[in-house]
Amino acid sequence: MTITVLLADDQTMVRSGLRLILENQPDISVVAEAADGVEALAAARRLRPDVCLVDIRMPRLDGIEVTRALAGPGVVDPLRVVVVTTFDLDEYLYGALRGGAVGFVLKDAGPALLVEAVRAASVGDALISPSVTLRLLRHLAVTASPGKSGRQPLRPLSERETEVVRAIAAGRTNQEIAAQLFISLSTVKSHVSGIQTKLGVRNRVEIAAWAWENRIVGGGRQSDLGPG
């Protein structure tokens, strides 16, 4: 299956570089480019690509506004948006995630992570640059009220589901979780889907956030989350 991608960035050279990286992959095809937020919004709604790669700083509409319009909580049929930016700022990260982004990748993270983020988003998964993930989760751990857990699941998690949650919070991929727990990849995916339903969340990032808010991240070293 070919993953269709929309590129939105106001710099022509950046778009060309991203296109070169992505179209070098046999399973990814760039179907459109946009030089500003308004163009990105129109093209995304017209073509409905599998993944939209959106820069933060763009003319007319910025990346946060585009993300909110395409994937925000009130959007009936949201698209999958990955924010790609040079600017490693908390306000951009939180704005993107609150706006419904399923990925946040720094432009200097390298081609491999960019490709991985596109593939993850295409199947409804989420990926954030490792250094940003660690900072985000540390922030959640610090801001959560001592002795007070976050929102509770709609139904209790099973022991196995709790193990999967801890592994996700430790930054492990589905393949790594399968190997760690001696279960199949399809079983891991089934657990992740069930966990999302029980927690009322949309992706792995929100699962990890829930785990840190509720102080159930034991069993994984903080270093597993990536470099600080």
Side-chain angles (χ1 to χ4, degrees):
M1 183 185 73
T2 300
I3 302 168
T4 56
V5 176
L6 163 71
L7 295 178
D9 194 293
D10 62 333
Q11 298 184 50
T12 303
M13 289 185 64
V14 171
R15 294 199 308 274
S16 297
L18 294 175
R19 177 185 280 272
L20 188 62
I21 291 169
L22 296 175
E23 294 206 324
N24 193 41
Q25 306 300 314
D27 59 335
I28 299 176
S29 174
V30 176
V31 295
E33 295 184 18
D36 64 49
V38 173
E39 287 182 12
L41 205 55
R45 286 172 170 167
R46 183 178 72 254
L47 300 171
R48 298 200 61 81
D50 296 317
V51 180
C52 301
L53 287 183
V54 177
D55 186 27
I56 286 285
R57 294 187 177 179
M58 294 188 296
R60 299 207 280 175
L61 281 179
D62 66 30
I64 301 298
E65 293 173 302
V66 171
T67 299
R68 192 179 300 116
L70 296 177
V75 178
V76 176
D77 191 11
L79 291 172
R80 291 160 180 167
V81 178
V82 175
V83 171
V84 184
T85 181
T86 305
F87 304 100
D88 185 7
L89 300 176
D90 285 350
E91 63 183 286
Y92 289 161
L93 171 62
Y94 303 143
L97 295 181
R98 283 194 298 266
V102 295
F104 189 94
V105 179
L106 300 179
K107 288 180 180 176
D108 63 1
L113 192 67
L114 177 69
V115 171
E116 187 179 350
V118 168
R119 288 178 176 147
S122 73
V123 295
D125 211 336
L127 187 148
I128 295 178
S129 289
S131 61
V132 179
T133 302
L134 181 57
R135 195 170 72 245
L136 170 65
L137 296 182
R138 280 176 174 165
H139 169 79
L140 291 171
V142 169
T143 56
S145 301
K148 180 181 179 181
S149 64
R151 61 191 183 280
Q152 296 304 303
L154 301 175
R155 287 181 288 127
L157 300 179
S158 68
E159 183 177 348
R160 177 64 87 190
E161 286 172 334
T162 301
E163 290 176 326
V164 172
V165 167
R166 285 175 175 154
I168 290 173
R172 303 198 188 284
T173 65
N174 283 351
Q175 289 83 355
E176 290 170 336
I177 295 172
Q180 176 184 325
L181 300 181
F182 302 101
I183 56 180
S184 69
L185 183 58
S186 61
T187 299
V188 174
K189 291 179 179 179
S190 177
H191 282 314
V192 172
S193 177
I195 290 164
Q196 289 178 186
T197 299
K198 286 185 176 182
L199 297 183
V201 300
R202 296 182 296 177
N203 54 55
R204 296 168 72 90
V205 175
E206 293 184 3
I207 291 175
W210 180 87
W212 279 71
E213 288 171 352
N214 286 271
R215 302 291 200 273
I216 60 169
V217 293
R221 302 184 305 278
Q222 281 202 341
S223 60
D224 290 332
L225 295 171

